[in-house]
Amino acid sequence: MDWLSEVKEQDGEIFSLMKNELDRQRSSIELIPSENFTSSAVMQAMGSVLTNKYSEGYPGKRYYGGNEFIDEIEKLAISRAKSLFKVEYVNVQPYSGSPANMEVYLSLCSAGDVVMGQSLTSGGHLTHGWSSSATGKLFKSIQYGVKIDGYINLEEVRELAEKNKPKLIWVGSTAYVRKLPFKEFAEIADSVGAYLAADISHISGLVIAGVHDSPVNYVDIVTTTTHKTLRGPRGAMIMITKKGISKDPELPSKIDKSVFPGMQGGPHDHITAAIAIALKQASTPEFVSYAKQVVANAKALASSLMEQGIKLVTKGTDNHMVLADLSDISPGFGVFAQEALDKAGITLNKNTVPGERSSPFYPSGIRMGTPAVTSRGMKESEMKEIAIYIAQVLSSIKENKLPESKEERLAHIKQFREHLNENDEIKKIRQSVNELTSKFPLYSNMEL
Ligand code: DSN
């Protein structure tokens, strides 16, 4: 059967938008570090009859009948996660990373408790207590940051923890390019009696493959999404370590209760099956090679960008991600960079940088990652080529400056977008991007 044949027959509008999205993914260089190309097996599970079932509760303790096969699927996902991550307990039901993190708070904290996390503008996540997230509104959130050199400011973490005595500390980031110092965080958390949770959403695939240290010996709780370096479906897991269980033997039941019925209703059984499949794939030597290549590619991208004169936060990377600081071109330049690179077929996102001279809405940096391009089979030589394209695009728009006033900014960006359509350099690079991506077929099994 042709891929999407039923969608095509029944809903031409959605079909053509989905086809356009497939074409976009095929013909662009995907550098958003939280994205990946999952396998067709994972997608088959997601588009299956499992989406029809209700199964509130847990294996052997469901509210509805007919769950004998769903129970086995969920048990398989749990046992695979336990053995891959070497943890004592796993809940595979969180709908995604943000609910998973909220479920951790609800298990450990009451409204108004003090919590600590890395600030969004220093590379942390919204759900680690940022002011606009429910986690920053419900709890008294203390935020730590990075030093001007881009590394986590452990001195600040220690001082803030001693002064504020948080109940829960988060270690984990969405825009941090160096190894996360789990051991140092554990010393701080232990010294103030805080729970320590690692959010390894970005790096869980690297952790499994042994190319990033595991937090499991140091923290009480680990959360991860399943669709980033792990390359599974959009979903998440909450795990408890031996340390967490010995601190509080009730933690597993607290987490279970806060996932369901605390935060969620019926689990997404089609996603649970897809998570189980992704975990099986992640247990293979091929996946280990993939994760090693992700890091090798990120290092190659980093050094090639620096050769092109692009300044990088921390001057390199230890993981799958690279953060370029474009403040020297002009503060807020990340906005122009993202738009222009998108036009050239290179997808990434604007990002704040340490000591940001502009604002989170108009940041000065760009964040790039290699999980998706590595899934396509690209290696170091392609990273070099991509770095050259990025530098050429940036050079072709370097005269643009963000106006001071907000009204002028919107008008300027609109005008900038229009000018991009006439930028011959970008047109030329878009051609080269098309040629490069055509050498790395994506989802060639999907006929339309
Ligand atoms: N949106 C994810 C990222 O891009 O890092 C985090 O939730």
Side-chain angles (χ1 to χ4, degrees):
M1 191 170 75
D2 287 352
W3 186 67
L4 292 183
S5 60
E6 301 280 324
V7 179
K8 187 177 184 178
E9 200 179 300
Q10 294 181 36
D11 190 335
E13 283 168 292
I14 289 294
F15 170 78
S16 79
L17 291 168
M18 288 179 76
K19 181 184 176 311
N20 289 349
E21 174 58 15
L22 175 61
D23 290 341
R24 187 196 68 80
Q25 291 187 16
R26 282 178 170 157
S27 63
S28 331
I29 293 169
E30 181 52 72
L31 291 182
I32 294 174
S34 46
E35 294 188 10
N36 210 332
F37 299 118
T38 197
S39 67
S40 299
V42 163
M43 281 197 257
Q44 277 182 1
M46 285 195 275
S48 72
V49 294
L50 300 177
T51 197
N52 298 336
K53 192 69 196 103
Y54 257 123
S55 45
E56 283 100 327
Y58 291 97
K61 295 173 280 182
R62 306 283 187 186
Y63 282 80
Y64 298 146
N67 274 302
E68 59 269 40
F69 304 113
I70 299 298
D71 277 3
E72 293 310 309
I73 288 169
E74 188 165 333
K75 284 197 285 189
L76 260 179
I78 290 169
S79 70
R80 287 176 185 171
K82 277 165 86 171
S83 100
L84 265 178
F85 286 95
K86 303 185 177 59
V87 290
E88 301 296 302
Y89 153 98
V90 182
N91 188 308
V92 294
Q93 294 191 9
Y95 296 146
S96 200
S98 298
N101 288 352
M102 185 50 104
E103 286 149 5
V104 170
Y105 285 100
L106 295 181
S107 308
L108 302 176
C109 305
S110 305
D113 278 351
V114 179
V115 298
M116 247 176 87
Q118 189 167 336
S119 82
L120 188 71
T121 47
S122 289
H125 191 253
L126 280 164
T127 59
H128 299 173
W130 187 246
S131 53
S132 57
S133 148
T135 62
K137 296 185 200 293
L138 289 177
F139 307 102
K140 182 167 182 282
S141 169
I142 308 293
Q143 300 270 277
Y144 58 84
V146 291
K147 295 176 286 184
I148 196 72
D149 64 6
Y151 284 80
I152 289 175
N153 190 342
L154 282 168
E155 270 319 298
E156 185 191 25
V157 177
R158 193 181 317 276
E159 279 167 26
L160 289 172
E162 280 167 7
K163 183 166 165 225
N164 296 286
K165 301 277 183 292
K167 186 112 182 243
L168 168 66
I169 300 177
W170 286 97
V171 51
S173 331
T174 60
Y176 189 66
V177 296
R178 292 298 174 182
K179 291 216 160 120
L180 289 168
F182 297 125
K183 187 162 177 274
E184 290 78 359
F185 266 86
E187 282 161 11
I188 296 170
D190 290 345
S191 75
V192 298
Y195 281 102
L196 182 60
D199 179 345
I200 60 166
S201 293
H202 264 265
I203 55 167
S204 51
L206 310 184
V207 167
I208 284 177
V211 291
H212 189 294
D213 294 341
S214 167
V216 163
N217 290 333
Y218 303 108
V219 309
D220 305 304
I221 294 180
V222 180
T223 62
T224 182
T225 49
T226 47
H227 49 274
K228 297 189 175 88
T229 47
L230 196 51
R231 213 162 54 176
R234 299 195 85 85
M237 304 191 290
I238 303 173
M239 304 180 256
I240 303 178
T241 64
K242 211 174 246 170
K243 185 175 176 182
I245 301 233
S246 59
K247 187 179 275 180
D248 181 358
E250 301 297 312
L251 260 187
S253 79
K254 287 180 183 167
I255 294 281
D256 277 351
K257 282 188 195 132
S258 83
V259 173
F260 173 82
M263 264 286 283
Q264 301 188 174
H268 295 172
D269 300 314
H270 55 310
I271 300 297
T272 307
I275 289 175
I277 293 167
L279 290 168
K280 185 170 184 192
Q281 292 169 340
S283 67
T284 59
E286 290 75 22
F287 187 85
V288 173
S289 307
Y290 161 71
K292 285 184 177 157
Q293 190 64 50
V294 166
V295 175
N297 280 352
K299 285 181 187 293
L301 182 64
S303 53
S304 306
L305 286 167
M306 287 190 290
E307 274 165 31
Q308 294 298 319
I310 294 172
K311 189 169 145 192
L312 298 188
V313 174
T314 80
K315 299 190 174 70
T317 181
D318 292 332
N319 58 26
H320 61 301
M321 196 191 296
V322 174
L323 190 55
D325 181 350
L326 310 175
S327 315
D328 290 348
I329 304 179
S330 64
F333 194 75
V335 177
F336 302 118
Q338 177 183 313
E339 296 260 353
L341 286 158
D342 215 15
K343 197 88 200 159
I346 300 174
T347 317
L348 43 68
N349 67 281
K350 57 184 185 283
N351 215 91
T352 50
V353 291
E356 178 60 60
R357 281 149 61 193
S358 182
S359 76
F361 292 109
Y362 298 99
S364 304
I366 47 174
R367 186 184 70 149
M368 294 154 268
T370 53
V373 285
T374 309
S375 289
R376 275 187 99 147
M378 293 189 192
K379 297 238 163 65
E380 287 87 339
S381 60
E382 284 78 32
M383 298 306 113
K384 196 167 184 161
E385 203 175 323
I386 291 169
I388 293 170
Y389 298 149
I390 291 173
Q392 287 170 341
V393 170
L394 298 186
S395 164
S396 81
I397 56 160
K398 64 177 187 295
E399 305 310 334
N400 277 282
K401 294 211 174 356
L402 200 61
E404 289 290 323
S405 92
K406 231 177 174 176
E407 292 71 30
E408 274 180 55
R409 279 180 181 181
L410 292 177
H412 181 84
I413 291 169
K414 191 164 171 262
Q415 202 181 36
F416 171 74
R417 261 183 218 137
E418 284 160 13
H419 284 165
L420 283 180
N421 295 327
E422 292 138 34
N423 183 322
D424 289 335
E425 182 69 7
I426 289 181
K427 280 187 198 152
K428 216 170 75 203
I429 296 162
R430 174 75 249 199
Q431 273 307 317
S432 308
V433 166
N434 283 345
E435 280 159 34
L436 176 64
T437 51
S438 67
K439 290 185 222 151
F440 296 88
L442 182 64
Y443 299 127
S444 38
N445 57 335
M446 291 177 185
E447 295 164 35
L448 288 173

mmCIF file with all atom_site columns, all heavy atoms in Angstrom, residues 199-211:
data_model
loop_
_atom_site.group_PDB
_atom_site.id
_atom_site.type_symbol
_atom_site.label_atom_id
_atom_site.label_alt_id
_atom_site.label_comp_id
_atom_site.label_asym_id
_atom_site.label_entity_id
_atom_site.label_seq_id
_atom_site.pdbx_PDB_ins_code
_atom_site.Cartn_x
_atom_site.Cartn_y
_atom_site.Cartn_z
_atom_site.occupancy
_atom_site.B_iso_or_equiv
_atom_site.pdbx_formal_charge
_atom_site.auth_seq_id
_atom_site.auth_comp_id
_atom_site.auth_asym_id
_atom_site.auth_atom_id
_atom_site.pdbx_PDB_model_num
ATOM 1  N N   . ASP A 1 199 ? 17.376 15.869 33.788 1.00 0.00 ? 199 ASP A N   1
ATOM 2  C CA  . ASP A 1 199 ? 16.559 15.851 32.571 1.00 0.00 ? 199 ASP A CA  1
ATOM 3  C C   . ASP A 1 199 ? 17.530 15.641 31.413 1.00 0.00 ? 199 ASP A C   1
ATOM 4  O O   . ASP A 1 199 ? 18.239 16.573 31.008 1.00 0.00 ? 199 ASP A O   1
ATOM 5  C CB  . ASP A 1 199 ? 15.813 17.184 32.446 1.00 0.00 ? 199 ASP A CB  1
ATOM 6  C CG  . ASP A 1 199 ? 14.954 17.240 31.181 1.00 0.00 ? 199 ASP A CG  1
ATOM 7  O OD1 . ASP A 1 199 ? 15.143 16.397 30.285 1.00 0.00 ? 199 ASP A OD1 1
ATOM 8  O OD2 . ASP A 1 199 ? 14.102 18.145 31.088 1.00 0.00 ? 199 ASP A OD2 1
ATOM 9  N N   . ILE A 1 200 ? 17.553 14.390 30.923 1.00 0.00 ? 200 ILE A N   1
ATOM 10 C CA  . ILE A 1 200 ? 18.539 14.069 29.876 1.00 0.00 ? 200 ILE A CA  1
ATOM 11 C C   . ILE A 1 200 ? 17.877 13.975 28.498 1.00 0.00 ? 200 ILE A C   1
ATOM 12 O O   . ILE A 1 200 ? 18.363 13.268 27.614 1.00 0.00 ? 200 ILE A O   1
ATOM 13 C CB  . ILE A 1 200 ? 19.337 12.776 30.206 1.00 0.00 ? 200 ILE A CB  1
ATOM 14 C CG1 . ILE A 1 200 ? 18.411 11.555 30.351 1.00 0.00 ? 200 ILE A CG1 1
ATOM 15 C CG2 . ILE A 1 200 ? 20.178 12.967 31.453 1.00 0.00 ? 200 ILE A CG2 1
ATOM 16 C CD1 . ILE A 1 200 ? 19.168 10.219 30.346 1.00 0.00 ? 200 ILE A CD1 1
ATOM 17 N N   . SER A 1 201 ? 16.780 14.718 28.329 1.00 0.00 ? 201 SER A N   1
ATOM 18 C CA  . SER A 1 201 ? 16.037 14.629 27.066 1.00 0.00 ? 201 SER A CA  1
ATOM 19 C C   . SER A 1 201 ? 16.936 14.767 25.840 1.00 0.00 ? 201 SER A C   1
ATOM 20 O O   . SER A 1 201 ? 16.800 14.015 24.876 1.00 0.00 ? 201 SER A O   1
ATOM 21 C CB  . SER A 1 201 ? 14.976 15.733 27.019 1.00 0.00 ? 201 SER A CB  1
ATOM 22 O OG  . SER A 1 201 ? 14.001 15.486 27.999 1.00 0.00 ? 201 SER A OG  1
ATOM 23 N N   . HIS A 1 202 ? 17.836 15.734 25.875 1.00 0.00 ? 202 HIS A N   1
ATOM 24 C CA  . HIS A 1 202 ? 18.671 15.957 24.696 1.00 0.00 ? 202 HIS A CA  1
ATOM 25 C C   . HIS A 1 202 ? 19.696 14.850 24.489 1.00 0.00 ? 202 HIS A C   1
ATOM 26 O O   . HIS A 1 202 ? 20.054 14.535 23.360 1.00 0.00 ? 202 HIS A O   1
ATOM 27 C CB  . HIS A 1 202 ? 19.398 17.310 24.811 1.00 0.00 ? 202 HIS A CB  1
ATOM 28 C CG  . HIS A 1 202 ? 18.668 18.396 24.088 1.00 0.00 ? 202 HIS A CG  1
ATOM 29 N ND1 . HIS A 1 202 ? 18.970 18.756 22.812 1.00 0.00 ? 202 HIS A ND1 1
ATOM 30 C CD2 . HIS A 1 202 ? 17.631 19.174 24.471 1.00 0.00 ? 202 HIS A CD2 1
ATOM 31 C CE1 . HIS A 1 202 ? 18.151 19.721 22.425 1.00 0.00 ? 202 HIS A CE1 1
ATOM 32 N NE2 . HIS A 1 202 ? 17.329 19.993 23.417 1.00 0.00 ? 202 HIS A NE2 1
ATOM 33 N N   . ILE A 1 203 ? 20.194 14.281 25.581 1.00 0.00 ? 203 ILE A N   1
ATOM 34 C CA  . ILE A 1 203 ? 21.379 13.418 25.456 1.00 0.00 ? 203 ILE A CA  1
ATOM 35 C C   . ILE A 1 203 ? 21.113 11.948 25.753 1.00 0.00 ? 203 ILE A C   1
ATOM 36 O O   . ILE A 1 203 ? 22.059 11.160 25.799 1.00 0.00 ? 203 ILE A O   1
ATOM 37 C CB  . ILE A 1 203 ? 22.510 13.923 26.396 1.00 0.00 ? 203 ILE A CB  1
ATOM 38 C CG1 . ILE A 1 203 ? 21.994 14.014 27.839 1.00 0.00 ? 203 ILE A CG1 1
ATOM 39 C CG2 . ILE A 1 203 ? 23.078 15.254 25.912 1.00 0.00 ? 203 ILE A CG2 1
ATOM 40 C CD1 . ILE A 1 203 ? 23.089 14.197 28.878 1.00 0.00 ? 203 ILE A CD1 1
ATOM 41 N N   . SER A 1 204 ? 19.833 11.543 25.908 1.00 0.00 ? 204 SER A N   1
ATOM 42 C CA  . SER A 1 204 ? 19.607 10.163 26.370 1.00 0.00 ? 204 SER A CA  1
ATOM 43 C C   . SER A 1 204 ? 20.185 9.126  25.409 1.00 0.00 ? 204 SER A C   1
ATOM 44 O O   . SER A 1 204 ? 20.699 8.088  25.845 1.00 0.00 ? 204 SER A O   1
ATOM 45 C CB  . SER A 1 204 ? 18.129 9.904  26.653 1.00 0.00 ? 204 SER A CB  1
ATOM 46 O OG  . SER A 1 204 ? 17.345 10.287 25.563 1.00 0.00 ? 204 SER A OG  1
ATOM 47 N N   . GLY A 1 205 ? 20.142 9.391  24.105 1.00 0.00 ? 205 GLY A N   1
ATOM 48 C CA  . GLY A 1 205 ? 20.737 8.441  23.155 1.00 0.00 ? 205 GLY A CA  1
ATOM 49 C C   . GLY A 1 205 ? 22.244 8.352  23.343 1.00 0.00 ? 205 GLY A C   1
ATOM 50 O O   . GLY A 1 205 ? 22.848 7.278  23.216 1.00 0.00 ? 205 GLY A O   1
ATOM 51 N N   . LEU A 1 206 ? 22.855 9.484  23.677 1.00 0.00 ? 206 LEU A N   1
ATOM 52 C CA  . LEU A 1 206 ? 24.314 9.503  23.885 1.00 0.00 ? 206 LEU A CA  1
ATOM 53 C C   . LEU A 1 206 ? 24.661 8.771  25.182 1.00 0.00 ? 206 LEU A C   1
ATOM 54 O O   . LEU A 1 206 ? 25.687 8.073  25.254 1.00 0.00 ? 206 LEU A O   1
ATOM 55 C CB  . LEU A 1 206 ? 24.839 10.943 23.931 1.00 0.00 ? 206 LEU A CB  1
ATOM 56 C CG  . LEU A 1 206 ? 24.406 11.887 22.801 1.00 0.00 ? 206 LEU A CG  1
ATOM 57 C CD1 . LEU A 1 206 ? 25.086 13.246 22.953 1.00 0.00 ? 206 LEU A CD1 1
ATOM 58 C CD2 . LEU A 1 206 ? 24.703 11.293 21.425 1.00 0.00 ? 206 LEU A CD2 1
ATOM 59 N N   . VAL A 1 207 ? 23.797 8.913  26.180 1.00 0.00 ? 207 VAL A N   1
ATOM 60 C CA  . VAL A 1 207 ? 24.030 8.237  27.467 1.00 0.00 ? 207 VAL A CA  1
ATOM 61 C C   . VAL A 1 207 ? 23.980 6.720  27.276 1.00 0.00 ? 207 VAL A C   1
ATOM 62 O O   . VAL A 1 207 ? 24.874 5.989  27.722 1.00 0.00 ? 207 VAL A O   1
ATOM 63 C CB  . VAL A 1 207 ? 22.989 8.709  28.521 1.00 0.00 ? 207 VAL A CB  1
ATOM 64 C CG1 . VAL A 1 207 ? 22.993 7.805  29.752 1.00 0.00 ? 207 VAL A CG1 1
ATOM 65 C CG2 . VAL A 1 207 ? 23.263 10.163 28.918 1.00 0.00 ? 207 VAL A CG2 1
ATOM 66 N N   . ILE A 1 208 ? 22.963 6.243  26.587 1.00 0.00 ? 208 ILE A N   1
ATOM 67 C CA  . ILE A 1 208 ? 22.829 4.798  26.337 1.00 0.00 ? 208 ILE A CA  1
ATOM 68 C C   . ILE A 1 208 ? 24.065 4.254  25.636 1.00 0.00 ? 208 ILE A C   1
ATOM 69 O O   . ILE A 1 208 ? 24.556 3.175  25.925 1.00 0.00 ? 208 ILE A O   1
ATOM 70 C CB  . ILE A 1 208 ? 21.598 4.519  25.436 1.00 0.00 ? 208 ILE A CB  1
ATOM 71 C CG1 . ILE A 1 208 ? 20.328 4.642  26.233 1.00 0.00 ? 208 ILE A CG1 1
ATOM 72 C CG2 . ILE A 1 208 ? 21.682 3.145  24.801 1.00 0.00 ? 208 ILE A CG2 1
ATOM 73 C CD1 . ILE A 1 208 ? 19.095 4.441  25.381 1.00 0.00 ? 208 ILE A CD1 1
ATOM 74 N N   . ALA A 1 209 ? 24.565 5.048  24.678 1.00 0.00 ? 209 ALA A N   1
ATOM 75 C CA  . ALA A 1 209 ? 25.695 4.582  23.870 1.00 0.00 ? 209 ALA A CA  1
ATOM 76 C C   . ALA A 1 209 ? 27.026 4.764  24.589 1.00 0.00 ? 209 ALA A C   1
ATOM 77 O O   . ALA A 1 209 ? 28.076 4.375  24.069 1.00 0.00 ? 209 ALA A O   1
ATOM 78 C CB  . ALA A 1 209 ? 25.709 5.331  22.540 1.00 0.00 ? 209 ALA A CB  1
ATOM 79 N N   . GLY A 1 210 ? 27.000 5.386  25.757 1.00 0.00 ? 210 GLY A N   1
ATOM 80 C CA  . GLY A 1 210 ? 28.243 5.568  26.520 1.00 0.00 ? 210 GLY A CA  1
ATOM 81 C C   . GLY A 1 210 ? 29.099 6.719  26.007 1.00 0.00 ? 210 GLY A C   1
ATOM 82 O O   . GLY A 1 210 ? 30.268 6.825  26.372 1.00 0.00 ? 210 GLY A O   1
ATOM 83 N N   . VAL A 1 211 ? 28.530 7.603  25.182 1.00 0.00 ? 211 VAL A N   1
ATOM 84 C CA  . VAL A 1 211 ? 29.322 8.747  24.723 1.00 0.00 ? 211 VAL A CA  1
ATOM 85 C C   . VAL A 1 211 ? 29.039 10.009 25.535 1.00 0.00 ? 211 VAL A C   1
ATOM 86 O O   . VAL A 1 211 ? 29.598 11.071 25.266 1.00 0.00 ? 211 VAL A O   1
ATOM 87 C CB  . VAL A 1 211 ? 29.187 9.020  23.200 1.00 0.00 ? 211 VAL A CB  1
ATOM 88 C CG1 . VAL A 1 211 ? 29.854 7.926  22.402 1.00 0.00 ? 211 VAL A CG1 1
ATOM 89 C CG2 . VAL A 1 211 ? 27.727 9.154  22.783 1.00 0.00 ? 211 VAL A CG2 1
#
